[in-house]
Amino acid sequence: MSESNIKRASLAEITAMRKRGELYYNPDAPEGPSLGPDFWANAEIVEPKGTTSVHLKVDAEVFDYFKQGGKGHLTRMQNVLKAYVDAMRKAG
């Protein structure tokens, strides 16, 4: 979500918006379905893995290719590297 999609409002502003009917809240909305015991029986806790900061030199053409997509180019580069690692692991 980009910053342009985020509106920050104080509690007073939110209260005023609600009084004007600009915010919709349905107190009679149904609850979602229960996940049930089968879901929880197979659930497992997965601890997030940390990241490692590195200095990496890449060819200018490689960097420019990822940078042309705009913000998030480092994440895109990491996703390509992850896909490569996954493919190598599957290949054995």
Side-chain angles (χ1 to χ4, degrees):
M1 182 179 292
S2 69
E3 278 294 316
S4 63
N5 293 339
I6 299 173
K7 179 179 181 344
R8 301 191 188 280
S10 68
L11 180 57
E13 290 172 317
I14 293 171
T15 302
M17 290 169 65
R18 189 161 187 193
K19 286 180 182 177
R20 291 191 303 264
E22 295 175 7
L23 296 179
Y24 179 73
Y25 168 71
N26 182 357
D28 299 323
E31 284 190 25
S34 174
L35 295 176
D38 291 339
F39 172 85
W40 295 110
N42 297 322
E44 57 185 67
I45 296 174
V46 178
E47 294 291 331
K49 296 180 181 176
T51 58
T52 302
S53 179
V54 298
H55 175 84
L56 177 68
K57 289 186 178 184
V58 296
D59 291 342
E61 64 182 319
V62 172
F63 183 77
D64 291 342
Y65 177 82
F66 284 96
K67 184 73 173 179
Q68 73 186 358
K71 189 174 181 176
H73 59 283
L74 296 177
T75 301
R76 286 190 293 278
M77 292 172 82
Q78 180 172 330
N79 289 341
V80 168
L81 289 170
K82 280 183 184 179
Y84 177 82
V85 169
D86 290 344
M88 291 296 104
R89 286 182 177 155
K90 289 178 183 173

